[in-house]
């Protein structure tokens, strides 16, 4: 992975790293927004001595961790994956046999049948059908309170209902067995998701790095769990019921976090059109099999910019190392001051930086018979400026970002569990909150299966 400057691990992160590195435990790393899950994942990827493969459920999520999509790594069919054997080539079997530890990011977006397909693929390839995941250690990162899998429909829904307690990854049969109840506590304090399932060590990071105000942390935790009191709702709505101030000279406008793409596009286009002069378009260069459609791309295929445009960086700085560290990080917001010579100059925190197109590499794992180790091959490249118009961004795409100030526009209402929590938890302080309308009880959505699962987690932690 491309090295970036990261903060040192906290004691709880370091203890968890040692658990993963020194044992064969299956581990699910979760925690509230801003607790450093991504930092731990990156540290693990760079510092483990194990043979690892990193994967994620979507193309963009896989790019973010410089891994491979689950379906691509395991050569899984699209659609519902039932309980039949997975068709595997010799090359795939060699790759799966070389893995010591499988890392899955954004696991909350992985459906239960896909989790079981991963288990079945590894058992099959490694000829260890009686051992969960064929003896591979599985380490998962994610927060079910923030991102959810796509619900199945039609016949797929009926199949899931017949074979699973829910479509969430934690109700896969590898953990709980067919239709087993979750939540049994083992004698050693771990959460055993079922009598016949594989034991899963669930570690919830607790030290929040994004916010420092205890009162605001308490409010966010209430939204996360769907237990917002009248007092908390009043405090959030009172703080947010202010007209956003006009930006001072040299100050970027406050970003809007909205629920829908069309709202975001309309806001960004309106602000871009208001700037003088014609827009200049930077077109991405794509080589290899990078997939098709905007959902597969890490940046806009056609990026329209003008001097004065507010932009957000889409990845960490990889060229500005030295005593002062990186010049920007994924999510930094600045203003375009010049477009010329194949570069875009962006003012960020009072300093101007020339930004060049960057390359996102799509990887594929391969097996090297000479070393008997996994290697990563580059199968596609996407070259574009690491920028996006940022007067507004969808709440979904704000995932993992940090903002000092933001306008939260829930429109006609939050429509996905965790959406309001994700939006609010991007902020560092309550003072930075601006609401386009007051929060309503219907905006606080928590999936009932997540409530049930996490209640078992907390019971296990208390018992331990």
């Amino acid at each position: 992975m491309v090295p970036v400057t990261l903060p040192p691990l906290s004691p709880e992160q370091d203890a968890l790293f040692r658990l993963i590195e020194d044992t064969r435990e299956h581990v699910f790393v979760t925690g509230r927004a801003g607790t450093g899950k991504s930092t731990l994942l990156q540290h693990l990827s760079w510092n483990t001595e194990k043979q690892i493969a990193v994967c994620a459920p979507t193309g963009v999520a896989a790019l973010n961790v410089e891994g491979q999509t689950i379906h691509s790594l395991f050569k899984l069919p699209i659609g519902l994956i039932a309980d039949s054997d997975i068709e595997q080539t010799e090359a795939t079997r060699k790759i799966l046999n070389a893995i010591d530890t499988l890392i899955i990011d954004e696991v909350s977006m992985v459906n239960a049948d896909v989790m079981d397909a991963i288990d079945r693929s590894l058992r099959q390839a490694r000829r260890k059908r009686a051992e969960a995941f064929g003896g591979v250690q599985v380490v998962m990162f994610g927060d079910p309170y923030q991102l959810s899998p796509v619900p199945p429909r039609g016949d797929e829904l009926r199949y899931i209902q017949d074979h699973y307690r829910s479509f969430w990854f934690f109700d896969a049969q590898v953990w709980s067995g067919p239709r087993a109840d979750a939540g049994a506590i083992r004698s050693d304090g771990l959460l055993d998701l079922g009598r016949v399932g594989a034991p899963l060590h669930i570690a919830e990071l607790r030290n929040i790095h994004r916010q420092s105000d205890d009162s605001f942390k308490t409010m966010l935790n209430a939204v996360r769990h769907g237990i917002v009191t009248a007092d908390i709702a009043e405090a959030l709505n009172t703080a947010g019921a202010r007209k956003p101030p006009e930006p001072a000279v040299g100050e970027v406008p406050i970003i809007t976090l909205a629920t829908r793409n069309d709202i975001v596009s309309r806001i960004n286009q309106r602000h871009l059109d208001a700037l003088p002069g014609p827009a200049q378009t930077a077109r991405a260069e794509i080589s290899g099999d990078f997939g098709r459609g905007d959902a597969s791309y890490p940046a806009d295929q056609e990026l329209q910019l003008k001097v004065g445009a507010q932009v957000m960086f889409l990845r960490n700085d990889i060229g500005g190392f030295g005593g002062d560290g990186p010049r920007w990080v994924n999510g930094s917001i600045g203003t375009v001051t010049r477009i010329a010579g194949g570069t875009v100059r962006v003012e960020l925190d009072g300093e101007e930086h020339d930004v060049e197109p960057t390359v996102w590499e799509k990887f594929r794992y391969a097996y090297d018979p000479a070393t008997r180790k996994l290697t990563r091959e580059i199968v596609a490249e996407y070259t574009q400026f690491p920028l996006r118009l940022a007067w507004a961004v969808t709440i979904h795409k704000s995932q993992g970002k940090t903002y000092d100030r933001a306008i939260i526009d829930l429109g006609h209402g939050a429509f996905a569990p965790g959406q309001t929590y994700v939006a609010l938890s991007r902020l560092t302080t309550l003072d930075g909150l601006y609401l386009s309308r007051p929060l309503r009880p219907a905006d606080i959505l928590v999936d009932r299966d997540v409530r049930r699962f996490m209640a078992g987690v907390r019971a296990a932690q208390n018992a331990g």
Side-chain angles (χ1 to χ4, degrees), residues 308-455:
Q310 179 165 303
V311 291
M312 179 173 68
F313 286 85
L314 299 178
R315 68 184 306 178
N316 295 321
D317 175 28
I318 60 175
F321 291 95
D324 296 330
R327 296 165 294 178
W328 59 78
V329 296
N330 185 3
S332 295
I333 296 177
T335 303
V336 174
T337 58
R338 182 173 178 265
I339 306 171
T343 65
V344 176
R345 184 167 294 171
V346 178
E347 182 180 352
L348 185 68
D349 297 329
E351 296 186 15
E352 294 191 351
H353 307 286
D354 286 330
V355 183
E356 298 179 345
T358 191
V359 179
W360 283 266
E361 297 168 332
K362 183 177 180 180
F363 293 98
R364 179 176 61 200
Y365 287 97
Y367 177 72
D368 184 346
T371 62
R372 297 184 179 182
K373 292 184 177 181
L374 287 179
T375 61
R376 288 192 308 166
E377 301 173 343
I378 298 173
V379 297
E381 293 183 341
Y382 189 94
T383 305
Q384 178 60 290
F385 288 99
L387 302 170
R388 172 185 288 136
L389 293 178
W391 288 285
V393 66
T394 62
I395 293 171
H396 181 79
K397 288 182 179 177
S398 75
Q399 192 82 16
K401 308 295 192 299
T402 299
Y403 306 113
D404 291 330
R405 302 184 302 170
I407 302 166
I408 295 177
D409 183 356
L410 296 176
H412 295 299
F415 56 81
Q419 199 171 44
T420 301
Y421 171 65
V422 169
L424 292 171
S425 61
R426 300 310 95 198
L427 292 165
T428 56
T429 67
L430 184 62
D431 290 339
L433 173 64
Y434 298 86
L435 294 170
S436 63
R437 64 158 175 80
L439 294 174
R440 305 165 185 158
D443 295 322
I444 312 299
L445 303 174
V446 180
D447 186 277
R448 64 180 183 180
D449 289 302
V450 173
R451 287 183 190 269
R452 180 252 308 168
F453 170 69
M454 293 304 292

Side-chain angles (χ1 to χ4, degrees), residues 206-217:
R206 298 180 179 276
N207 185 19
I208 297 175
H209 306 280
R210 182 172 295 147
Q211 296 93 17
S212 58
D213 179 71
D214 288 339
S215 177
F216 190 36
K217 289 181 183 179

Side-chain angles (χ1 to χ4, degrees), residues 57-89:
T58 68
V60 172
L63 286 173
N64 288 338
V65 291
E66 296 192 350
Q68 198 169 339
T69 64
I70 292 170
H71 279 74
S72 173
L73 177 61
F74 289 93
K75 300 298 186 287
L76 300 178
I78 301 300
L80 180 71
I81 305 172
D83 55 2
S84 59
D85 279 355
I86 307 297
E87 187 175 333
Q88 294 175 335
T89 64

Side-chain angles (χ1 to χ4, degrees), residues 6-9 13 36-44:
L6 289 174
L9 294 185
Q13 289 171 323
K37 297 183 291 295
S38 296
T39 299
L40 177 59
L41 189 155
Q42 289 179 315
H43 181 89
L44 174 64

Side-chain angles (χ1 to χ4, degrees), residues 32 208 211-229 232-233 236 421:
R32 286 177 281 179
I208 297 175
Q211 296 93 17
S212 58
D213 179 71
D214 288 339
S215 177
F216 190 36
K217 289 181 183 179
T218 298
M219 295 179 195
L220 293 177
N221 200 43
V223 174
R224 182 178 191 242
H225 293 284
I227 51 174
V228 177
T229 64
I232 290 175
L236 289 170
Y421 171 65

